[in-house]
Short mmCIF file of all heavy atoms in Angstrom, two decimals:
data_model
loop_
_atom_site.label_atom_id
_atom_site.label_comp_id
_atom_site.label_asym_id
_atom_site.label_seq_id
_atom_site.Cartn_x
_atom_site.Cartn_y
_atom_site.Cartn_z
N GLN A 236 -26.86 30.58 -20.47
CA GLN A 236 -27.77 30.28 -21.57
C GLN A 236 -27.60 28.81 -21.92
O GLN A 236 -26.48 28.34 -22.12
CB GLN A 236 -27.45 31.15 -22.79
CG GLN A 236 -28.43 31.00 -23.93
CD GLN A 236 -29.80 31.58 -23.63
OE1 GLN A 236 -29.91 32.61 -23.00
NE2 GLN A 236 -30.84 30.91 -24.07
N GLY A 237 -28.71 28.08 -22.00
CA GLY A 237 -28.63 26.65 -22.31
C GLY A 237 -27.84 25.92 -21.24
O GLY A 237 -28.15 26.01 -20.06
N ASN A 238 -26.79 25.21 -21.64
CA ASN A 238 -25.97 24.49 -20.67
C ASN A 238 -24.63 25.19 -20.43
O ASN A 238 -23.69 24.61 -19.91
CB ASN A 238 -25.73 23.04 -21.12
CG ASN A 238 -24.86 22.96 -22.36
OD1 ASN A 238 -24.65 23.95 -23.06
ND2 ASN A 238 -24.36 21.78 -22.64
N ARG A 239 -24.53 26.47 -20.78
CA ARG A 239 -23.29 27.22 -20.63
C ARG A 239 -23.48 28.36 -19.63
O ARG A 239 -24.53 28.99 -19.57
CB ARG A 239 -22.87 27.83 -21.96
CG ARG A 239 -22.72 26.83 -23.08
CD ARG A 239 -21.27 26.53 -23.35
NE ARG A 239 -21.04 25.83 -24.60
CZ ARG A 239 -20.96 24.51 -24.70
NH1 ARG A 239 -21.14 23.75 -23.66
NH2 ARG A 239 -20.70 23.94 -25.86
N ILE A 240 -22.42 28.61 -18.86
CA ILE A 240 -22.37 29.77 -17.97
C ILE A 240 -21.10 30.55 -18.28
O ILE A 240 -20.10 29.97 -18.70
CB ILE A 240 -22.42 29.38 -16.48
CG1 ILE A 240 -21.25 28.46 -16.11
CG2 ILE A 240 -23.75 28.76 -16.11
CD1 ILE A 240 -21.12 28.19 -14.63
N SER A 241 -21.16 31.85 -18.09
CA SER A 241 -19.98 32.71 -18.25
C SER A 241 -19.77 33.47 -16.96
O SER A 241 -20.73 33.95 -16.35
CB SER A 241 -20.17 33.68 -19.41
OG SER A 241 -20.29 32.97 -20.63
N ASP A 242 -18.52 33.57 -16.55
CA ASP A 242 -18.21 34.30 -15.32
C ASP A 242 -17.83 35.74 -15.64
O ASP A 242 -17.67 36.11 -16.80
CB ASP A 242 -17.14 33.57 -14.50
CG ASP A 242 -15.77 33.54 -15.16
OD1 ASP A 242 -15.45 34.42 -15.99
OD2 ASP A 242 -14.99 32.62 -14.84
N ILE A 243 -17.69 36.56 -14.60
CA ILE A 243 -17.39 37.97 -14.80
C ILE A 243 -15.96 38.20 -15.26
O ILE A 243 -15.61 39.33 -15.62
CB ILE A 243 -17.71 38.81 -13.54
CG1 ILE A 243 -16.85 38.40 -12.35
CG2 ILE A 243 -19.20 38.75 -13.22
CD1 ILE A 243 -17.04 39.29 -11.12
N ASP A 244 -15.16 37.14 -15.30
CA ASP A 244 -13.80 37.25 -15.81
C ASP A 244 -13.71 36.88 -17.29
O ASP A 244 -12.62 36.86 -17.87
CB ASP A 244 -12.86 36.35 -14.99
CG ASP A 244 -12.69 36.88 -13.58
OD1 ASP A 244 -12.05 37.94 -13.43
OD2 ASP A 244 -13.21 36.26 -12.64
N GLY A 245 -14.86 36.58 -17.91
CA GLY A 245 -14.89 36.32 -19.34
C GLY A 245 -14.69 34.88 -19.75
O GLY A 245 -14.51 34.60 -20.93
N HIS A 246 -14.74 33.94 -18.82
CA HIS A 246 -14.59 32.52 -19.13
C HIS A 246 -15.98 31.89 -19.28
O HIS A 246 -16.88 32.18 -18.50
CB HIS A 246 -13.84 31.79 -18.02
CG HIS A 246 -12.53 32.42 -17.68
ND1 HIS A 246 -11.42 32.32 -18.47
CD2 HIS A 246 -12.16 33.17 -16.61
CE1 HIS A 246 -10.42 32.98 -17.92
NE2 HIS A 246 -10.84 33.51 -16.79
N THR A 247 -16.13 31.01 -20.27
CA THR A 247 -17.38 30.29 -20.47
C THR A 247 -17.15 28.82 -20.22
O THR A 247 -16.12 28.26 -20.61
CB THR A 247 -17.91 30.51 -21.91
OG1 THR A 247 -18.14 31.91 -22.08
CG2 THR A 247 -19.20 29.74 -22.15
N TYR A 248 -18.11 28.19 -19.55
CA TYR A 248 -18.01 26.79 -19.13
C TYR A 248 -19.27 26.03 -19.51
O TYR A 248 -20.35 26.61 -19.57
CB TYR A 248 -17.87 26.68 -17.60
CG TYR A 248 -16.81 27.55 -17.00
CD1 TYR A 248 -17.10 28.86 -16.61
CD2 TYR A 248 -15.52 27.08 -16.82
CE1 TYR A 248 -16.13 29.67 -16.04
CE2 TYR A 248 -14.54 27.88 -16.26
CZ TYR A 248 -14.84 29.18 -15.87
OH TYR A 248 -13.88 29.97 -15.32
N VAL A 249 -19.14 24.73 -19.71
CA VAL A 249 -20.31 23.87 -19.75
C VAL A 249 -20.72 23.68 -18.30
O VAL A 249 -19.89 23.34 -17.45
CB VAL A 249 -19.99 22.50 -20.40
CG1 VAL A 249 -21.18 21.55 -20.27
CG2 VAL A 249 -19.62 22.69 -21.86
N ASP A 250 -21.96 23.96 -17.98
CA ASP A 250 -22.43 23.89 -16.60
C ASP A 250 -22.86 22.47 -16.25
O ASP A 250 -24.00 22.08 -16.48
CB ASP A 250 -23.59 24.87 -16.39
CG ASP A 250 -24.04 24.96 -14.95
OD1 ASP A 250 -23.42 24.30 -14.08
OD2 ASP A 250 -25.01 25.68 -14.68
N PHE A 251 -21.94 21.70 -15.70
CA PHE A 251 -22.26 20.34 -15.31
C PHE A 251 -23.10 20.30 -14.04
O PHE A 251 -23.73 19.30 -13.73
CB PHE A 251 -20.98 19.51 -15.11
CG PHE A 251 -20.31 19.16 -16.40
CD1 PHE A 251 -19.14 19.78 -16.77
CD2 PHE A 251 -20.86 18.22 -17.25
CE1 PHE A 251 -18.52 19.47 -17.97
CE2 PHE A 251 -20.26 17.89 -18.45
CZ PHE A 251 -19.08 18.51 -18.81
N ALA A 252 -23.15 21.39 -13.28
CA ALA A 252 -23.95 21.42 -12.07
C ALA A 252 -25.42 21.65 -12.40
O ALA A 252 -26.30 20.99 -11.86
CB ALA A 252 -23.45 22.52 -11.12
N LEU A 253 -25.70 22.59 -13.31
CA LEU A 253 -27.07 22.93 -13.69
C LEU A 253 -28.00 22.90 -12.48
O LEU A 253 -28.95 22.13 -12.42
CB LEU A 253 -27.58 21.99 -14.79
CG LEU A 253 -27.07 22.29 -16.19
CD1 LEU A 253 -27.48 21.18 -17.15
CD2 LEU A 253 -27.55 23.62 -16.70
N GLY A 254 -27.71 23.74 -11.52
CA GLY A 254 -28.44 23.74 -10.28
C GLY A 254 -29.92 24.01 -10.41
O GLY A 254 -30.38 24.70 -11.31
N ASP A 255 -30.67 23.43 -9.52
CA ASP A 255 -32.10 23.64 -9.38
C ASP A 255 -32.83 23.56 -10.72
O ASP A 255 -32.78 22.58 -11.42
CB ASP A 255 -32.38 24.97 -8.67
CG ASP A 255 -31.78 25.00 -7.27
OD1 ASP A 255 -31.72 23.95 -6.64
OD2 ASP A 255 -31.35 26.07 -6.83
N THR A 256 -33.51 24.61 -11.11
CA THR A 256 -34.35 24.59 -12.30
C THR A 256 -33.54 24.40 -13.58
O THR A 256 -34.01 23.78 -14.52
CB THR A 256 -35.17 25.89 -12.38
OG1 THR A 256 -35.79 26.10 -11.14
CG2 THR A 256 -36.22 25.81 -13.46
N GLY A 257 -32.33 24.91 -13.62
CA GLY A 257 -31.51 24.76 -14.81
C GLY A 257 -31.26 23.31 -15.18
O GLY A 257 -31.06 22.98 -16.34
N ALA A 258 -31.31 22.42 -14.19
CA ALA A 258 -31.08 21.00 -14.46
C ALA A 258 -32.20 20.39 -15.30
O ALA A 258 -31.99 19.41 -15.99
CB ALA A 258 -30.94 20.23 -13.14
N MET A 259 -33.38 20.97 -15.25
CA MET A 259 -34.51 20.43 -16.01
C MET A 259 -34.49 20.85 -17.46
O MET A 259 -34.84 20.07 -18.33
CB MET A 259 -35.82 20.87 -15.36
CG MET A 259 -36.09 20.24 -14.03
SD MET A 259 -37.72 20.73 -13.48
CE MET A 259 -37.40 21.00 -11.75
N ALA A 260 -34.12 22.08 -17.75
CA ALA A 260 -34.26 22.57 -19.12
C ALA A 260 -33.08 23.42 -19.59
O ALA A 260 -33.13 23.99 -20.66
CB ALA A 260 -35.54 23.40 -19.22
N GLY A 261 -32.03 23.52 -18.80
CA GLY A 261 -30.95 24.42 -19.15
C GLY A 261 -31.26 25.82 -18.65
O GLY A 261 -32.30 26.07 -18.05
N HIS A 262 -30.36 26.74 -18.90
CA HIS A 262 -30.54 28.12 -18.45
C HIS A 262 -31.30 28.92 -19.50
O HIS A 262 -30.95 28.91 -20.67
CB HIS A 262 -29.19 28.77 -18.19
CG HIS A 262 -28.40 28.11 -17.12
ND1 HIS A 262 -28.74 28.18 -15.79
CD2 HIS A 262 -27.29 27.33 -17.18
CE1 HIS A 262 -27.87 27.50 -15.08
NE2 HIS A 262 -26.98 26.97 -15.89
N SER A 263 -32.32 29.62 -19.08
CA SER A 263 -33.08 30.56 -19.91
C SER A 263 -33.63 29.98 -21.20
O SER A 263 -33.51 30.58 -22.27
CB SER A 263 -32.21 31.79 -20.23
OG SER A 263 -31.74 32.38 -19.06
N PRO A 264 -34.29 28.80 -21.16
CA PRO A 264 -34.88 28.29 -22.39
C PRO A 264 -35.97 29.25 -22.88
O PRO A 264 -36.66 29.88 -22.08
CB PRO A 264 -35.47 26.93 -21.99
CG PRO A 264 -35.60 26.99 -20.51
CD PRO A 264 -34.56 27.94 -20.01
N ASP A 265 -36.11 29.34 -24.20
CA ASP A 265 -37.03 30.32 -24.80
C ASP A 265 -38.45 30.24 -24.24
O ASP A 265 -39.05 31.27 -23.95
CB ASP A 265 -37.06 30.16 -26.32
CG ASP A 265 -35.75 30.59 -26.97
OD1 ASP A 265 -35.00 31.37 -26.36
OD2 ASP A 265 -35.49 30.13 -28.10
N ALA A 266 -38.98 29.03 -24.09
CA ALA A 266 -40.37 28.90 -23.60
C ALA A 266 -40.50 29.45 -22.19
O ALA A 266 -41.50 30.11 -21.85
CB ALA A 266 -40.80 27.44 -23.64
N THR A 267 -39.50 29.23 -21.35
CA THR A 267 -39.53 29.74 -19.98
C THR A 267 -39.40 31.25 -19.96
O THR A 267 -40.12 31.94 -19.23
CB THR A 267 -38.42 29.09 -19.14
OG1 THR A 267 -38.57 27.67 -19.19
CG2 THR A 267 -38.45 29.57 -17.71
N VAL A 268 -38.51 31.79 -20.77
CA VAL A 268 -38.35 33.25 -20.86
C VAL A 268 -39.66 33.90 -21.30
O VAL A 268 -40.09 34.89 -20.71
CB VAL A 268 -37.19 33.62 -21.81
CG1 VAL A 268 -37.16 35.12 -22.09
CG2 VAL A 268 -35.86 33.15 -21.23
N ARG A 269 -40.32 33.32 -22.31
CA ARG A 269 -41.60 33.87 -22.77
C ARG A 269 -42.65 33.82 -21.66
O ARG A 269 -43.39 34.80 -21.45
CB ARG A 269 -42.11 33.11 -24.00
CG ARG A 269 -41.39 33.50 -25.28
CD ARG A 269 -42.09 32.95 -26.52
NE ARG A 269 -42.29 31.51 -26.48
CZ ARG A 269 -41.39 30.61 -26.90
NH1 ARG A 269 -40.24 31.00 -27.37
NH2 ARG A 269 -41.68 29.32 -26.84
N ALA A 270 -42.72 32.71 -20.94
CA ALA A 270 -43.72 32.57 -19.87
C ALA A 270 -43.45 33.56 -18.74
O ALA A 270 -44.39 34.19 -18.21
CB ALA A 270 -43.72 31.14 -19.34
N ILE A 271 -42.21 33.73 -18.38
CA ILE A 271 -41.87 34.68 -17.30
C ILE A 271 -42.15 36.10 -17.75
O ILE A 271 -42.73 36.90 -17.00
CB ILE A 271 -40.41 34.50 -16.86
CG1 ILE A 271 -40.25 33.16 -16.12
CG2 ILE A 271 -39.95 35.66 -15.99
CD1 ILE A 271 -38.82 32.76 -15.85
N ASN A 272 -41.76 36.44 -18.98
CA ASN A 272 -42.03 37.79 -19.48
C ASN A 272 -43.52 38.07 -19.54
O ASN A 272 -43.96 39.18 -19.23
CB ASN A 272 -41.39 37.99 -20.86
CG ASN A 272 -39.90 38.21 -20.76
OD1 ASN A 272 -39.39 38.69 -19.76
ND2 ASN A 272 -39.19 37.84 -21.81
N ASP A 273 -44.31 37.07 -19.92
CA ASP A 273 -45.76 37.24 -19.94
C ASP A 273 -46.29 37.49 -18.53
O ASP A 273 -47.10 38.38 -18.30
CB ASP A 273 -46.44 36.02 -20.56
CG ASP A 273 -47.94 36.22 -20.67
OD1 ASP A 273 -48.37 37.25 -21.22
OD2 ASP A 273 -48.68 35.33 -20.19
N ARG A 274 -45.83 36.69 -17.57
CA ARG A 274 -46.29 36.85 -16.19
C ARG A 274 -45.90 38.23 -15.66
O ARG A 274 -46.72 38.94 -15.08
CB ARG A 274 -45.70 35.74 -15.32
CG ARG A 274 -45.92 35.91 -13.82
CD ARG A 274 -47.34 36.11 -13.38
NE ARG A 274 -48.14 34.90 -13.51
CZ ARG A 274 -49.42 34.82 -13.17
NH1 ARG A 274 -50.05 35.87 -12.67
NH2 ARG A 274 -50.08 33.72 -13.34
#
Side-chain angles (χ1 to χ4, degrees):
Q236 186 70 39
N238 67 345
R239 304 257 193 266
I240 59 172
S241 297
D242 66 26
I243 63 174
D244 292 290
H246 307 285
T247 299
Y248 310 89
V249 173
D250 186 3
F251 287 107
L253 282 172
D255 300 327
T256 310
M259 291 185 220
H262 298 289
S263 304
D265 290 338
T267 303
V268 170
R269 283 192 305 273
I271 290 170
N272 284 333
D273 183 52
R274 171 55 70 179

